Amino acid sequence: MVKQASFFPQAIYGTTTQDPEGVPRVLIAPHRYIQGQGTLDHLGQYISIIGSERPVVLFSAGGEKRFGEQIGHSLKSVGIRYTMEIFKGECSESEVKRLTSLLKNKAPDTDAVIAVGGGKCMDVGKVVAFHLGVPMVTCPTIASTDAPCSAVSVMYSDEGVQIGPEFFPNSPALVVVDTRVIIKAPIRQLVAGMGDALATYYEARTCFQNPRARSVIGARPTIAALAISELCAKTLFENGMSAVDAMLRQEPNEAFEQIVEANTLLSGIGFESGGLAAAHAVAAGLTEIPVLHRDFFHGELVGIGILTHLLLEGKAEEATEASEFMAGVGLPIHAGQLSLDMKKDVPSIKKAMEGAVSSSLTEAEPFEVSPEKLFAAFVEADLLGVKIAQASGDAAYGRLHP
Ligand SMILES: [Zn+2]
C-alpha cells in the first residue's frame, strides 16, 4: 500500500468548528515506548512486536559508524533481513523523494522504517514510512526533541530553512530509547531538551484553560495530557540537577532515566496532545535572528520563551521558580546569555516578537497578544533572568557555553 496525499488532523477533528463544544478531546501517543540501558542490543526482539521482517534502518553517516554493527547484529540474531540507508542530513522534500524511490527500487518489500539518530533523521523517517505505508520505529540517540513520539515532522528546505509541519495518521509504532547511548550524547542537548520539556506544562495548562485553544492536532486536550505535562514539570524540578551530574560522571542513575523519559515521552505526548502557546511562539520568532538560529538549540530558545510566557500571563512567582531551575541546569535565562544586546538588538527582538505573534501560537492565550505586549514580557523576562543569574552565579551556563 502506497500513500502519497498529505494528512490534516485539524480538518478531521474540526478545528474550524465555531462551536468549541463540537471539538473533541483527543489523546495521541506512540503505540509502544521502550526505554532502558542497552535496549538497542535487543532491537530485533522488539521489532517482532510489529511483525516486521524486512525493515530499513536509516542513519546519518556518523550514526551508521556508531550503531550500524550493533543494530545489524541484533536484527540478524532473530533472522530479520534488513537494508541500511544513509540519511543526508536535511528533512526536506527532496531527501524524502530520494529515499522513498531508492527503497521502492532497491527494497520493494520494506515493511518498516527504523530511524536511528536525532530529530531530523527521525522526522525524515516518518515521512518516508508514511509514503511507503509502513510502520515507523524511532530510536533517538539524544534526548532533546519531541520527534521520537510524535506523528508530525518538521519540514525544511534543502538550505535548512523551516517550511512547516507535516502530519501523519499513525504515531510511531515503537520508540526504543537506549539510555547507555543517550548518556554519551553532548550534555548541552539533554539540557536543551529540559527547556523544551519544561514548557510543556505551562503551555498545556494555557490551552486546557482556554476553551478556544486547540492542541497541535487541532483538538481539545484531555486531562490525561494535562496530567502528563504536569508530571513532566515535576520530574524536571526534582531530577534535573541530579541527571546533569549523572551525565557529567557518565554514570546513568534513576534521575537520569526519569529525565530522559520526561524529555522524550512526557514532553512528546504533552506537547502533541496538550498544545503549544506563547513559549513556543517566542522560540519560533527568535529563530528569525540568524545568530540564534545558528548557535542555539530549540529548547534553549523555548527556555527564554517560558519566562516570557509566564510573565505575559502575570505569573511572576512561577517565572522565578522556572528561571532558578534553568540557571541550575545551565539553560540561558537572559538576552545576554543568548548573545543578544538589550540595547543594540532591540529592533531585531521586536521583529522576532512580530514573527512570534504571526505564528498564531499566541492565539492559545486567553487574551489578545500584540507584538508590543510580548516584547514587554520579553524585557521583563530578561530583567528577571539577569537578576537570577547574578544571584545564583552562571557556572552551569558557563560550563555548557564556554
Ligand atoms: Zn518544542
Side-chain angles (χ1 to χ4, degrees):
M1 184 170 57
V2 174
K3 288 182 183 153
Q4 293 287 1
S6 291
F7 172 73
F8 297 104
Q10 298 82 356
I12 290 172
Y13 302 124
T15 192
T16 51
T17 307
Q18 294 302 313
D19 170 19
E21 301 296 317
V23 178
R25 295 160 191 242
V26 178
L27 182 82
I28 177 165
H31 297 223
R32 294 281 191 285
Y33 179 86
I34 304 164
Q35 176 187 313
Q37 294 180 38
T39 49
L40 277 189
D41 289 333
H42 310 290
L43 188 61
Q45 262 161 266
Y46 303 142
I47 294 297
S48 70
I49 299 172
I50 59 169
S52 165
E53 291 172 345
R54 302 278 183 271
V56 59
V57 187
L58 287 185
F59 306 97
S60 65
E64 194 204 15
K65 243 184 234 157
R66 285 170 65 206
F67 309 111
E69 209 182 305
Q70 180 188 12
I71 287 176
H73 182 75
S74 174
L75 295 176
K76 259 187 255 164
S77 71
V78 290
I80 291 175
R81 252 181 43 213
Y82 56 88
T83 44
M84 288 187 174
E85 293 300 338
I86 301 297
F87 154 64
K88 288 196 170 159
E90 198 49 85
C91 181
S92 64
E93 202 55 51
S94 67
E95 179 63 355
V96 167
K97 267 192 194 142
R98 184 186 73 82
L99 284 166
T100 309
S101 64
L102 187 84
L103 288 168
K104 277 182 189 163
N105 290 323
K106 198 171 140 187
D109 53 355
T110 295
D111 61 6
V113 175
I114 304 171
V116 182
K120 286 190 178 186
C121 181
M122 289 181 280
D123 274 3
V124 90
K126 284 186 246 180
V127 195
V128 171
F130 176 57
H131 284 204
L132 295 176
V134 300
M136 174 67 200
V137 178
T138 55
C139 306
T141 54
I142 51 173
S144 70
T145 84
D146 285 331
C149 294
S150 69
V152 57
S153 292
V154 182
M155 300 305 295
Y156 292 81
S157 72
D158 287 326
E159 292 72 40
V161 179
Q162 194 171 314
I163 293 173
E166 171 133 9
F167 294 91
F168 313 109
N170 288 308
S171 300
L174 293 174
V175 180
V176 180
V177 186
D178 190 335
T179 42
R180 232 182 250 161
V181 168
I182 306 276
I183 203 154
K184 291 197 190 108
I187 188 165
R188 197 177 143 196
Q189 285 180 327
L190 184 87
V191 170
M194 289 194 226
D196 197 25
L198 184 61
T200 312
Y201 171 53
Y202 304 125
E203 295 186 289
R205 181 179 64 186
T206 297
C207 291
F208 188 84
Q209 290 173 348
N210 177 2
R212 288 180 300 106
R214 301 286 178 269
S215 68
V216 172
I217 51 168
R220 287 290 297 148
T222 58
I223 52 170
L226 184 66
I228 285 170
S229 67
E230 194 168 5
L231 178 63
C232 184
K234 183 172 172 275
T235 305
L236 289 163
F237 283 125
E238 288 176 1
N239 297 288
M241 296 282 277
S242 172
V244 167
D245 281 349
M247 209 162 179
L248 288 170
R249 284 184 282 107
Q250 289 287 290
E251 285 168 14
N253 59 9
E254 177 59 24
F256 179 75
E257 292 286 340
Q258 290 201 19
I259 288 299
V260 172
E261 184 180 333
N263 281 11
T264 312
L265 181 66
L266 305 183
S267 175
I269 294 177
F271 117 86
E272 198 173 19
S273 295
L276 299 174
H280 267 78
V282 168
L286 289 175
T287 57
E288 291 173 17
I289 301 176
V291 64
L292 296 187
H293 179 62
R294 192 188 65 220
D295 294 347
F296 290 89
F297 293 124
H298 168 70
E300 294 176 326
L301 303 184
V302 172
I304 195 89
I306 292 171
L307 305 184
T308 310
H309 171 120
L310 289 171
L311 292 166
L312 179 77
E313 293 182 352
K315 299 188 168 88
E317 212 171 293
E318 278 188 335
T320 301
E321 184 189 28
S323 58
E324 281 169 351
F325 167 78
M326 294 198 297
V329 295
L331 280 163
I333 53 171
H334 61 76
Q337 289 181 336
L338 289 165
S339 68
L340 295 175
D341 181 327
M342 278 313 275
K343 288 192 184 89
K344 206 170 85 242
D345 293 321
V346 161
S348 52
I349 297 171
K350 280 190 170 165
K351 207 161 157 274
M353 295 305 118
E354 280 170 28
V357 171
S358 70
S359 76
S360 80
L361 291 173
T362 50
E363 286 168 18
E365 298 294 335
F367 43 78
E368 178 123 17
V369 180
S370 63
E372 293 74 27
K373 218 172 185 173
L374 202 58
F375 178 72
F378 184 90
V379 170
E380 221 185 310
D382 173 63
L383 290 174
L384 172 69
V386 169
K387 198 177 87 188
I388 300 288
Q390 276 167 358
S392 63
D394 50 11
Y397 171 86
R399 190 171 55 211
L400 301 186
H401 302 262

